Amino acid sequence: MKRLIFIIGIIAPTFLFSQNNTEKILAAIEQNNTTLAALRKSLDAEKIGNKTEIFPDNPEVEFG
């Protein structure tokens, strides 16, 4: 029983700290990778391009 508690006490903090390091590493990669930055800007431009010209040029309303 003491051995199990000891093993859990050693392994549990390792998993907790490794997740924080992984998130930091992925954030650093995303920030410094020029390919990802270019793809993100391309995606933003494509989203804006899809929103343009969705309305008619000269809408007219008639009622009688």
Side-chain angles (χ1 to χ4, degrees), residues 1-49:
M1 186 68 177
K2 290 181 182 179
R3 185 176 182 191
L4 179 66
I5 292 173
F6 178 74
I7 292 172
I8 291 174
I10 299 260
I11 293 176
T14 305
F15 288 120
L16 295 175
F17 290 122
S18 67
Q19 289 176 353
N20 290 335
N21 290 336
T22 305
E23 291 174 3
K24 289 179 184 177
I25 291 170
L26 290 176
I29 289 171
E30 184 177 352
Q31 184 179 12
N32 295 325
N33 192 335
T34 56
T35 304
L36 289 176
L39 288 172
R40 185 174 304 274
K41 288 181 181 180
S42 174
L43 179 66
D44 291 340
E46 189 174 334
K47 284 182 183 178
I48 292 171

